[in-house]
Amino acid sequence: MSLDSTILANDSFFGRELSVILENFPENTSADVEWRVDNPRIAEVTTAGIVWPKGAGITYVYAKLLNGKGEAKCKIIVTDGNDYKFRLVLTDKGKSDFSIGSPETFLSRKAIERRLKRNIPIDETDLPISRQYLKAITEIGGTIVAQSKWLNTVTVTLQDQFLIDKYKALPFVKEVILVYVGKRKQNSNTSKYVDRPQAGNYTDPGTSIDYGSAGLNISTVKGEVLHQQGFKGAGIDIAVIDAGFLQLKNNPAFDNIHIKGAKSFVYENDDPYSIDTHGVWVTSCMAVNKPGTYVGTAPEANYWLLRTEDGNTEFPVEEDYWTSAIEFADSAGVDLVNSSLSYSDGYSYLTKRYTANDMDGKTALASKAANMAFKKGIFIVNCAGNERKWVGTPADSPAVLTIGSTNPNGSASGFTSWGMTADGRIKPDVMAMGGYTSVINTSGTAENRSGTSYSSPIMCGLVACLWQAYPKLTNHDLMEIIRKSADRASNPELPFGYGIADMKKAMELAKIKASF
């Protein structure tokens, strides 16, 4: 009996069936075969003789007749054109190169001011990961693409997946988790992105605003009441964590908003303005200030635009990018974060997918990061998702105001996600209009779109205005007030949660709370 050699490509995700050639085989003898492989890290073989590539290298597959009358081997050569990303979970951060007594070396002035204003201590979680740890990781090979000082993780990209053995051998590495695998990308000749802030240059529309096509976005939650009293988000910094902001700075509808900075956390593309229109639609709901045409919910706020999504794939590494982005937002002194992103069971089949049991507000990486950001004084608003089922991460976090979607008539949108978290909390928290929402497109004109991606920034902008009106309130206070303002607060129910938010009532509750 014999087997031919074969070559498999690990980046094609296809196996190959081997066949056994029997010569001079006696009649009435069993031809059943037992298959085995020398090195299962390079290839695996099924009971049917199908070989699947696992990692680059050479190994042998053996076919043995169960009657013991013969055995053959096949040389398997596996090539690998993949890139891999692994999350290294550390035991600790090591000896820091920074000191809590000198926070100005690792936090911005505004971040320090926010901590002092909210009586939030600067502690060990704020210190960056040890340079010695990072040096030891990079010396093994690969490139660091993300890291979290809050969660003690470092994410690396590499071509040789077997380097994980060396990472695991580091005394400070507790666990190594695959978070991305994809065909190797060619090196780009695109010049490195250089960020240039944009100063706001808007004219105050006064207290009687012509919202243009955005009127219904705001009136369904009575947001105009805040604007009528002069609160339009001035002095509040909002970070928008999203999929990309294609040509936003060249969009005439955004030419007068204040952009403090923009950054892409996606390793393969460092330009936040080069790809994806989703962030344009989302940001418009808050930031655009064109009276008579379109006015968002926080037209006088300051914005950070942070890209964390790789639109070509759906892998857990996006949570690593999301975590890096919200830590960056904290270090920059941001007050609020809008995240119109959600991660549930949509990850690639190559990696573990979440189930509803994982959505307990403390298991998923993004939820852990959101919990830490809330402890640092940031208010986080996140979409519920558009899957008509349990909410994903980070929306499952108790530290996140999760927003579902209604239609203009107040009914729940058919797509909005909802459910009880694994630990028994109701989500979404509140609702705003996400069905047939008016947004600004890449041409600078208004169009209608639907999704909780838009109900989320509508609410985020109005929370910014409320915080401007009552700056002594904490993010805990705001969370309680927004929930209590909603029309089902006395009897929360699915799919509405606490109900449709009411910013007029929220102002009344905030005034009472601030008086204590």
Side-chain angles (χ1 to χ4, degrees):
M1 57 187 293
S2 62
L3 291 168
D4 293 329
S5 297
T6 190
I7 298 175
L8 297 174
N10 195 32
D11 57 339
S12 65
F13 309 119
F14 289 105
R16 181 170 298 176
E17 184 175 8
L18 300 182
S19 58
V20 177
I21 301 172
L22 300 174
E23 297 177 345
N24 303 318
F25 194 66
E27 293 184 10
N28 302 319
T29 303
S30 172
D32 292 337
V33 172
E34 179 186 60
W35 298 91
R36 66 180 178 87
V37 64
D38 259 353
N39 190 342
R41 300 187 73 188
I42 293 174
E44 64 180 22
V45 62
T46 71
T47 56
I50 299 174
V51 180
W52 292 94
K54 302 293 289 183
I58 298 174
T59 188
Y60 288 88
V61 167
Y62 294 86
K64 182 179 180 180
L65 290 174
L66 292 180
N67 63 15
K69 298 294 185 180
E71 184 178 58
K73 70 177 181 179
C74 173
K75 185 178 183 180
I76 304 294
I77 302 171
V78 177
T79 62
D80 196 343
N82 286 326
D83 285 328
Y84 299 87
K85 293 184 177 72
F86 290 93
R87 180 187 305 150
L88 313 183
V89 183
L90 312 184
T91 57
D92 57 75
K93 291 193 289 191
K95 185 178 180 181
S96 179
D97 307 290
F98 299 90
S99 169
I100 294 172
S102 301
E104 66 280 357
T105 59
F106 54 89
L107 292 174
S108 69
R109 177 184 57 80
K110 195 170 188 303
I112 296 170
E113 288 175 353
R114 190 188 69 228
R115 305 292 177 86
L116 293 172
K117 182 178 181 181
R118 309 290 178 202
N119 294 316
I120 298 170
I122 295 170
D123 59 25
E124 297 288 336
T125 62
D126 294 303
L127 294 174
I129 294 170
S130 162
R131 289 175 185 168
Q132 285 72 33
Y133 280 10
L134 300 179
K135 183 173 183 288
I137 290 169
T138 54
E139 284 178 346
I140 286 175
T143 302
I144 294 174
V145 299
Q147 54 182 291
S148 170
K149 62 184 179 182
W150 291 346
L151 307 181
N152 293 354
T153 63
V154 176
T155 310
V156 295
T157 184
L158 45 88
Q159 296 180 358
D160 180 2
Q161 63 172 310
F162 296 132
L163 287 179
I164 64 171
D165 295 333
K166 294 183 178 180
Y167 290 129
K168 288 178 178 178
L170 292 172
F172 55 84
V173 172
K174 180 168 59 177
E175 187 179 9
V176 179
I177 303 169
L178 177 66
V179 292
Y180 172 87
V181 57
K183 286 193 175 182
R184 189 162 301 142
K185 297 177 175 62
Q186 299 298 319
N187 291 330
S188 172
N189 294 322
T190 305
S191 57
K192 188 173 179 61
Y193 170 75
V194 178
D195 189 44
R196 293 180 177 84
Q198 174 179 290
N201 185 30
Y202 48 77
T203 301
D204 186 351
T207 56
S208 180
I209 302 173
D210 181 354
Y211 291 102
S213 65
L216 204 55
N217 295 3
I218 295 168
S219 64
T220 52
V221 287
K222 300 180 183 175
E224 70 279 0
V225 175
L226 282 158
H227 296 171
Q228 288 166 359
Q229 297 192 32
F231 303 114
K232 308 182 191 75
I236 304 294
D237 286 8
I238 301 174
V240 186
I241 300 180
D242 216 281
F245 307 88
L246 183 65
Q247 297 298 314
L248 183 145
K249 285 182 72 175
N250 297 324
N251 190 318
F254 294 86
D255 61 8
N256 60 346
I257 74 169
H258 186 190
I259 302 174
K260 280 196 163 183
K263 182 177 175 65
S264 172
F265 292 84
V266 179
Y267 172 67
E268 286 78 9
N269 184 330
D270 69 349
D271 185 350
Y273 297 116
S274 67
I275 193 168
D276 209 293
T277 58
H278 189 265
V280 176
W281 302 326
V282 168
T283 306
S284 71
C285 296
M286 297 179 281
V288 169
N289 191 7
K290 299 292 182 180
T293 301
Y294 193 104
V295 177
T297 53
E300 295 181 5
N302 312 313
Y303 290 90
W304 288 89
L305 308 179
L306 310 178
R307 177 184 174 231
T308 63
E309 288 287 286
D310 182 351
N312 296 321
T313 62
E314 190 72 7
F315 282 94
V317 71
E318 292 178 338
E319 288 187 62
D320 298 73
Y321 295 148
W322 194 95
T323 299
S324 292
I326 202 164
E327 288 189 16
F328 173 86
D330 169 63
S331 67
V334 160
D335 300 295
L336 293 97
V337 166
N338 182 81
S339 168
S340 289
L341 303 170
S342 179
Y343 309 102
S344 56
D345 60 357
Y347 286 142
S348 165
Y349 72 93
L350 290 173
T351 56
K352 180 182 181 295
R353 294 174 177 173
Y354 288 128
T355 68
N357 289 333
D358 295 312
M359 297 299 110
D360 58 2
K362 58 185 179 183
T363 294
L365 190 81
S367 299
K368 292 178 182 178
N371 294 340
M372 282 296 296
F374 193 73
K375 290 178 181 178
K376 304 299 181 184
I378 296 174
F379 193 93
I380 307 155
V381 185
N382 205 97
C383 66
N386 305 327
E387 298 170 315
R388 295 194 67 184
K389 63 180 183 186
W390 46 275
V391 302
T393 180
D396 69 316
S397 165
V400 168
L401 185 72
T402 301
I403 313 298
S405 172
T406 63
N407 297 314
N409 64 3
S411 63
S413 300
F415 51 79
T416 193
S417 291
W418 51 270
M420 303 301 291
T421 62
D423 58 336
R425 290 171 292 108
I426 196 168
K427 287 285 181 173
D429 293 285
V430 298
M431 307 277 265
M433 198 176 87
Y436 310 102
T437 308
S438 181
V439 303
I440 295 296
N441 61 26
T442 53
S443 299
T445 57
E447 65 178 53
N448 289 330
R449 300 196 69 85
S450 293
T452 58
S453 286
Y454 314 114
S455 54
S456 181
I458 287 172
M459 278 306 303
C460 184
L462 293 174
V463 174
C465 297
L466 185 63
W467 218 350
Q468 177 196 2
Y470 297 98
K472 292 184 179 180
L473 297 179
T474 67
N475 56 353
H476 291 267
D477 295 333
L478 289 170
M479 183 74 77
E480 178 186 13
I481 286 166
I482 299 299
R483 287 171 177 162
K484 286 185 175 180
S485 79
D487 65 355
R488 289 168 171 80
S490 60
N491 186 27
E493 62 176 353
L494 295 172
F496 288 90
Y498 290 81
I500 299 172
D502 181 336
M503 298 313 293
K504 182 176 185 294
K505 187 174 181 180
M507 282 198 75
E508 295 167 355
L509 293 170
K511 183 177 180 180
I512 295 170
K513 187 73 174 181
S515 66
F516 289 113

